[in-house]
Amino acid sequence: KDNGKPSPPPSISILSMFGWTIGGVVALEYDDSPVGPYCEYVSMGAVVLSKKRGALGQWGSRLYVSTAEAEAVCQEVWNVPAELADIEFVEDNKSFPLCVTSAPDQTTSKSKGVPRIAVTGWANTRILRVDDDARRGGLRLPVLWTPSIKALWAPFVPFSANEIDNGGDKLPLHNLRLSASAIRLCLGCGQETSQSLGVPLPFGLMVDNVLIEIGPQSDSF
């Protein structure tokens, strides 16, 4: 059924059980980047499987950024279909739960204007204190990335080539490494069920002082 929501390409299958799949939200605050500070919000649409390669991953249905410069570099350098949005991460204080209070409508096209996105309780994401050792290395996570469909793939799945066959087109793979100084599991988050966000799981993951390293298109898979 066509409900106006984004869908993955034909060579990618959504994994579901009784009509349900696992999605999520990724919220990132870049203190430094090639285009300066900006915020990013990704609606993770579903757990997916590459039909021909057997690769397991997480597909992002929409990706939003808070500046026009970030939108341009995503589109022009990485071929990521990023969209400009009014994104606000509200600090509040740590007594406020980390919640999405204004989520984008997944059925709304870019022509409908700039969407409004708000996340409250952002102070909870600041795990490190000012005097903490901020060296990265406590967490190092290698993954594979297909920017054009905003998909992250498990690194241990063997690919037969450096591209996933997208029904005749080719989806490039990049090595991507995430490292961070601190990580914390958040239990009992107060996110409510909604049409935009679905039924939330009672936990989230907070990561502080993250470094994202993206390699060139890989030829080893």
Side-chain angles (χ1 to χ4, degrees):
K1 181 179 179 180
D2 183 7
N3 56 10
K5 292 185 178 182
S7 59
S11 63
I12 306 299
S13 295
I14 292 177
L15 297 183
S16 63
M17 182 176 291
F18 305 114
W20 294 86
T21 187
I22 298 177
V25 166
V26 177
L28 298 167
E29 182 180 21
Y30 291 90
D31 298 319
D32 186 30
S33 82
V35 291
Y38 71 94
C39 296
E40 180 176 304
Y41 179 100
V42 188
S43 298
M44 304 305 294
V47 176
V48 292
L49 183 72
S50 169
K51 295 177 182 177
K52 295 186 177 181
R53 310 300 189 203
L56 184 68
Q58 182 81 35
W59 163 67
S61 56
R62 304 284 281 268
L63 184 148
Y64 304 91
V65 292
S66 60
T67 69
E69 293 79 9
E71 180 187 30
V73 77
C74 284
Q75 295 175 354
E76 296 168 9
V77 176
W78 298 111
N79 194 30
V80 176
E83 303 174 47
L84 186 63
D86 176 13
I87 302 175
E88 183 182 14
F89 296 156
V90 184
E91 288 284 342
D92 294 316
N93 57 60
K94 292 191 175 182
S95 64
F96 286 81
L98 185 64
C99 291
V100 179
T101 54
S102 179
D105 184 350
Q106 296 297 294
T107 64
T108 302
S109 66
K110 295 179 68 173
S111 63
K112 297 294 185 180
V114 177
R116 160 76 175 161
I117 299 171
V119 178
T120 59
W122 196 249
N124 291 286
T125 66
R126 308 204 182 281
I127 305 170
L128 297 172
R129 297 174 300 183
V130 175
D131 57 346
D132 282 341
D133 185 351
R135 287 180 295 179
R136 301 180 180 95
L139 170 69
R140 292 186 182 275
L141 180 64
V143 294
L144 295 171
W145 181 47
T146 301
S148 54
I149 61 169
K150 308 169 292 299
L152 296 172
W153 305 96
F156 51 82
V157 177
F159 296 89
S160 61
N162 72 317
E163 297 170 321
I164 300 174
D165 190 349
N166 180 24
D169 295 327
K170 298 294 184 178
L171 298 176
L173 289 171
H174 294 261
N175 288 303
L176 187 149
R177 185 172 68 176
L178 306 174
S179 55
S181 300
I183 183 171
R184 177 185 296 165
L185 183 65
C186 175
L187 298 174
C189 59
Q191 189 68 58
E192 296 182 353
T193 300
S194 68
Q195 185 175 0
S196 298
L197 298 172
V199 179
L201 297 174
F203 62 86
L205 197 63
M206 296 181 290
V207 186
D208 202 355
N209 196 33
V210 179
L211 176 66
I212 302 175
E213 299 172 275
I214 304 171
Q217 184 172 327
S218 172
D219 59 0
S220 59
F221 292 97

